[in-house]
Amino acid sequence: MSNSSAYLQLQLTGIKLEAGRKRSQQLYLLLRELIASEPLCGGSKLPATRELAKMLGVSRNTVMNAYERLFADGFLETRVGDGTYITLAGSGTRGQAQPSLPLNPPLHAGLRLPIAQQFNRHIVHDGLPSAFRIGLPALDLFPFETWSRLQNRFWRREPIQHMGYGDPAGDIQLRELIAHYLRSARGLACDPAQILVTLGAQQAIMVSAAMLLRAEDEVVMENPCYWAAAGAFSCLGVHINAVGVDDDGLLTHQLAQIPKAKMAYVCPSCQYPTGVTMSLPRRLELLNWAIEREAWILEDDYDGEYRYSGTPLMPLAALDQSNRVIYIGSFSKVMYPGLRLGYMVAPPQLVSQLTLLRTMASRQPPINDQRVMADFIAEGHFQPHIRRMRRAGQLRRDALLKSWCQHLSHIGSMPEVASGLHVTIRLPNFEREQTLVAQAMSAGIEITPLSSLWLPESEENANHYGLILGFAGVSESAIERAVLKLKDIWR
């Protein structure tokens, strides 16, 4: 059914709202009555909130509030990337005897949840890693024997003193070791008291945004972007402003066009997903912007350990002299994602508030994993493991580059990756991108389309489409076999 027929079927053009009464309540009752009285409207698409607000001459909030109540009542449902629809169960219900069926409890997340759903790209990793899954390190090189020995030792000692409610900021030994590591390896001098151990980087993003932003506040994100961060902001009702990137990172001159932004989320060491590094002049411009606008910067250093040439870059937080940067790190890319251990370095004035909010959300990560991670670092296993993982990433990057250039260069040019765990190949259009991705998936090869990582309503440009290939999760021989398989199907 077309959109226009759905609108006419419900006679939305005839709706009139009276002055002097709450308009969202009127609209809710009128729409509910129309849906309940029309048995054939199930599955019909409703106008977007902005479109219906314009049609009725009311504010968008009025329509959003009405849709929210209908959504909670079960009359409406959302389809990811496709809008709001009338449920089949909700149409034509007036005057009909309804069967007694168990109903899901109504959701009261308003329209934030449907908005956040467009960023829901969480994939359950079932089975062994496959080419070219993104976000995975060389899990086959994980030190299983050492890790299991440390875990067993922790429990053999009957650590009753650690089995209660611990410090919500995290185990103090682990925080001290993280502070030492950041100082020596990343050039970031911080006090252990500034560090909060988190359930991965995602929790750090969510907690920081929840404390520092309110619904309807504005945030700046690099575009294309890390979809899970965009989803976190959307869950909180924050308005996302897209700012482009080039070979020097965030286009900082565009920040002047967003005067109300209160936060910027960036990945300066290795922008996700393009892999570019933010230049020093751009970093300084971003820091000056934060000072002038009294804004905050979330710096996500998600795979800063994987730099294949030169020394590791100094984080934004190390350059920050005004306490405007929250630094986010994670053990997911050097240990394994399922560990769910990360950390954040907060400006001193935010530590107590962030700790309280984090306490209310999830208290603390499992103490055994924190203590074992601390022992892994303290006993000298961590730095050699990082070097081993970085070396593996470089070898697998080189294997992919060599095989691609030999067999698949006609598909697109593969750049030489300076940092990170994936590479992006640009393509000319959407059709080409989707065809190649679908053909790869049919052969059991995972490739992420670049177009899926642009923020909604982004204008199409020459760099909009492409293929993102993770190269660290499988061996060099597996990479070569996958490339040969793609050569056969991408003719």
Side-chain angles (χ1 to χ4, degrees), residues 5 7 13 20 44 53 85 205 277 284 298 324 366-367 393 420 440:
S5 64
Y7 302 165
T13 53
S44 299
Y85 285 79
I205 297 169
T277 299
L284 297 177
L298 288 189
R324 310 301 301 184
I367 189 59

Side-chain angles (χ1 to χ4, degrees), residues 77-93:
E77 63 183 359
T78 59
R79 301 178 186 176
V80 178
D82 195 25
T84 303
Y85 285 79
I86 299 169
T87 62
L88 294 174
S91 62
T93 58

Side-chain angles (χ1 to χ4, degrees), residues 277-319:
T277 299
M278 190 183 298
S279 66
L280 180 59
R282 297 273 180 90
R283 293 173 184 235
L284 297 177
E285 289 173 11
L286 181 59
L287 288 169
N288 288 333
W289 168 83
I291 295 171
E292 293 172 359
R293 298 296 175 85
E294 296 184 349
W296 302 99
I297 298 173
L298 288 189
E299 178 182 13
D300 191 347
D301 196 15
Y302 65 98
D303 59 1
E305 288 79 12
Y306 292 94
R307 185 162 182 83
Y308 304 120
S309 60
T311 58
L313 297 174
M314 183 175 290
L316 267 175
L319 302 172

Side-chain angles (χ1 to χ4, degrees), residues 27 44 49 52 64 144 158 218 249 278 338 359 388 392 430 436 441 453 458:
L27 183 58
S44 299
T49 55
L52 184 55
M64 289 175 67
F144 293 100
E158 299 183 4
E218 299 191 20
M278 190 183 298
T359 305
R388 186 163 53 249
F430 179 76
L436 294 176
M441 290 295 288
L453 301 181
S458 298

Side-chain angles (χ1 to χ4, degrees), residues 233-288:
F233 292 128
S234 297
C235 283
L236 298 170
V238 175
H239 179 67
I240 301 173
N241 293 279
V243 173
V245 296
D246 62 11
D247 291 341
D248 287 323
L250 185 76
L251 297 173
T252 49
H253 69 274
Q254 295 184 5
L255 295 173
Q257 304 169 19
I258 314 169
K260 295 182 180 180
K262 295 185 178 180
M263 179 180 287
Y265 169 85
V266 292
C267 305
S269 295
C270 183
Q271 197 275 333
Y272 189 92
T274 65
V276 300
T277 299
M278 190 183 298
S279 66
L280 180 59
R282 297 273 180 90
R283 293 173 184 235
L284 297 177
E285 289 173 11
L286 181 59
L287 288 169
N288 288 333

Side-chain angles (χ1 to χ4, degrees), residues 18 79 84 112 157 163 206 266 303 315 368-369 454 462:
E18 300 177 6
R79 301 178 186 176
T84 303
R112 297 182 191 176
R157 292 175 175 176
M163 295 173 70
M206 195 76 171
V266 292
D303 59 1
N368 60 306
D369 290 335
W454 291 84

Side-chain angles (χ1 to χ4, degrees), residues 332-361:
S332 293
K333 299 300 188 294
V334 289
M335 301 303 290
Y336 62 99
L339 180 60
R340 305 317 304 146
L341 271 185
Y343 52 90
M344 57 194 300
V345 181
Q349 74 273 25
L350 299 182
V351 171
S352 61
Q353 296 95 326
L354 284 170
T355 303
L356 176 60
L357 183 57
R358 183 270 161 75
T359 305
M360 298 301 181

